[in-house]
Amino acid sequence: SFVLGFPVCTLLRRLGVVDKPNARSSHDRPTVRGGGIAILVAIITGTFLIRTSGTGGVLMPLVGIGLFLAVLSFWDDLKSLPPAIRFGGHAVAALVALALLGWPQLNIEISPVQSYRPWIGFGIVLMFLWLAGYTNAFNFMDGINGIAAGQAVLTSAASGLLAGLVSGHWTSQPILVSFVIA
């Protein structure tokens, strides 16, 4: 992503995809928008390489969701979408991700005691709100130079490290993707 950042930045500057500072800006001079394109290309490439080294599962559909969110966010950077459309896209992405990961299965047998069934529904709602809310917060952070990238590095590295320590499977695809993102 570092190497791709230079040509992407040059191309975006040439195309006029530049944010001019205003009273709400975190920067004081014109700044190119869309630098995340280089990061996205690197993540997709790394994930594709991981996927080709084992079973695919849901990796590539999840990358598709990430690509959808990237297009939505870039469109928002260019045209300033209404919050309802932006959050609606985040909500759809969260629902599709949960469906891919098998979360809407309310018939999961955790215990013979059926009193746990409402907690499964609560867990699904909580995961949906966390995914959609974090995506929305990340989209907000993206407007503050460098903070989204820093957050992605810390969150992904910590997730990969914790998952590796707990599972002991350091080469599993989700852990490797966490490190690719970091």
Side-chain angles (χ1 to χ4, degrees):
S1 62
F2 177 78
V3 171
L4 289 174
F6 295 104
V8 166
C9 185
T10 301
L11 177 63
L12 291 169
R13 186 173 285 119
R14 196 172 299 148
L15 294 173
V17 185
V18 177
D19 187 25
K20 311 258 187 313
N22 60 40
R24 296 179 51 210
S25 297
S26 66
H27 49 276
D28 55 2
R29 60 179 182 237
T31 304
V32 174
R33 289 181 171 188
I37 293 170
I39 297 169
L40 184 65
V41 169
I43 290 171
I44 290 172
T45 302
T47 303
F48 181 75
L49 292 172
I50 290 168
R51 190 233 180 262
T52 58
S53 68
T55 58
V58 297
L59 269 185
M60 295 320 283
L62 289 174
V63 167
I65 293 169
L67 189 57
F68 164 75
L69 288 170
V71 168
L72 181 71
S73 294
F74 190 60
W75 185 14
D76 181 44
D77 284 348
L78 297 176
K79 301 290 181 190
S80 194
L81 296 173
I85 291 175
R86 194 173 53 244
F87 188 74
H90 298 165
V92 167
L95 288 172
V96 172
L98 287 172
L100 284 170
L101 297 171
W103 266 77
Q105 300 171 4
L106 291 176
N107 59 353
I108 298 171
E109 191 77 31
I110 352 180
S111 165
V113 180
Q114 293 299 316
S115 63
Y116 288 110
R117 189 173 297 281
W119 290 106
I120 296 170
F122 176 74
I124 292 169
V125 170
L126 191 62
M127 284 299 296
F128 165 76
L129 291 173
W130 183 80
L131 284 172
Y134 187 79
T135 303
N136 195 294
F138 202 85
N139 186 59
F140 171 75
M141 285 188 292
D142 189 36
I144 305 170
N145 299 337
I147 198 169
Q151 180 68 22
V153 168
L154 290 174
T155 302
S156 299
S159 296
L161 183 63
L162 288 173
L165 289 171
V166 169
S167 72
H169 299 288
W170 290 95
T171 58
S172 72
Q173 288 181 351
I175 293 170
L176 292 175
V177 170
S178 290
F179 291 133
V180 164
I181 293 170

